[in-house]
Amino acid sequence: ELARGEVESGITSPLNRLGWVDDKNPDDYIFQMSMGGLGLPDREYYLKDDEKSVGIRAKYEELLTFLLGRAGYEDAAAKASDVLALETQLAEADWDRAVSRNPEITYNKLTRDELGELAGGFPLAVALEELGVNGEQEFLVTEIPPTADEIASAGLSQEDVDKLGAGIPVAFELATTTARAHGTRYHA
């Protein structure tokens, strides 16, 4: 139900996904996945501790409380705090916007089996079926932590490497654990 409910409801997901032109083969379309799930514009809004960033997060939590209350959730403030905490975990795993534009580390073509290994306990088969891409055998997945060789090949500095979070494997994990914690029926 996790994967199905996400598709049916249109709720934002820790995983962005779309069918798009293969970046290295413009004659082909391929299903692509990347980090998602942030309500604020960028990971830095969650990670910085300066006065402005703290204020933005406080206002965002107020907005979430208001929206969840209007949607009929009991204890909307607690739910808003939970949402902000989850989004903060996603932000910690996400990559810096500038570094994530580097095609040398974001072009990761995976087979269906490799994607399944990366997804761990996430109900990937159900998600792909619900998304209408069950027959696909290759996928592009960004924000997979690069190897030392990929870092060297891309010419990344240590400062750049420090701006890379744990990436999309965490998005799969958070989607799974959050669904389990909230009692969503689960299909592996």
Side-chain angles (χ1 to χ4, degrees):
E1 282 182 18
L2 164 68
R4 186 174 295 114
E6 183 182 295
V7 171
E8 290 173 357
S9 69
I11 294 173
T12 188
S13 166
L15 302 162
N16 291 329
R17 62 252 178 233
L18 72 148
W20 198 248
V21 174
D22 185 331
D23 297 335
K24 292 188 177 181
N25 186 358
D27 294 331
D28 282 339
Y29 282 81
I30 191 166
F31 190 75
Q32 300 187 16
M33 301 178 88
S34 64
M35 292 283 296
L38 300 182
L40 293 173
D42 188 79
R43 73 188 289 263
E44 299 306 320
Y45 285 82
Y46 297 88
L47 305 180
K48 289 184 177 179
D49 287 327
D50 60 275
E51 187 176 326
K52 181 179 178 183
S53 298
V54 170
I56 289 171
R57 285 193 301 273
K59 290 289 187 188
Y60 179 55
E61 190 168 353
E62 286 176 24
L63 174 63
L64 289 171
T65 300
F66 170 77
L67 293 172
L68 290 166
R70 296 291 291 180
Y73 283 86
E74 291 186 31
D75 200 2
K79 297 284 188 211
S81 179
D82 290 347
V83 169
L84 185 58
L86 176 63
E87 289 183 17
T88 300
Q89 287 180 287
L90 286 167
E92 290 167 350
D94 204 356
W95 289 11
D96 173 78
R97 189 181 300 189
V99 177
S100 67
R101 291 186 192 115
N102 186 325
E104 297 298 318
I105 59 171
T106 58
Y107 186 90
N108 301 292
K109 189 178 271 190
L110 303 180
T111 66
R112 184 184 187 90
D113 288 342
E114 290 169 332
L115 182 59
E117 287 177 30
L118 184 70
F122 182 81
L124 184 65
V126 174
L128 296 177
E129 183 178 330
E130 290 298 318
L131 292 166
V133 294
N134 198 34
E136 297 299 315
Q137 295 303 311
E138 291 186 318
F139 304 85
L140 284 182
V141 183
T142 64
E143 294 145 336
I144 296 175
T147 65
D149 288 344
E150 291 168 332
I151 289 169
S153 176
L156 296 179
S157 67
Q158 185 59 50
E159 181 181 351
D160 290 336
V161 172
D162 291 343
K163 295 177 183 178
L164 301 177
I168 206 159
V170 171
F172 279 121
E173 182 181 321
L174 286 172
T176 303
T177 57
T178 300
R180 286 180 178 161
H182 293 285
T184 302
R185 202 170 59 158
Y186 186 77
H187 301 278

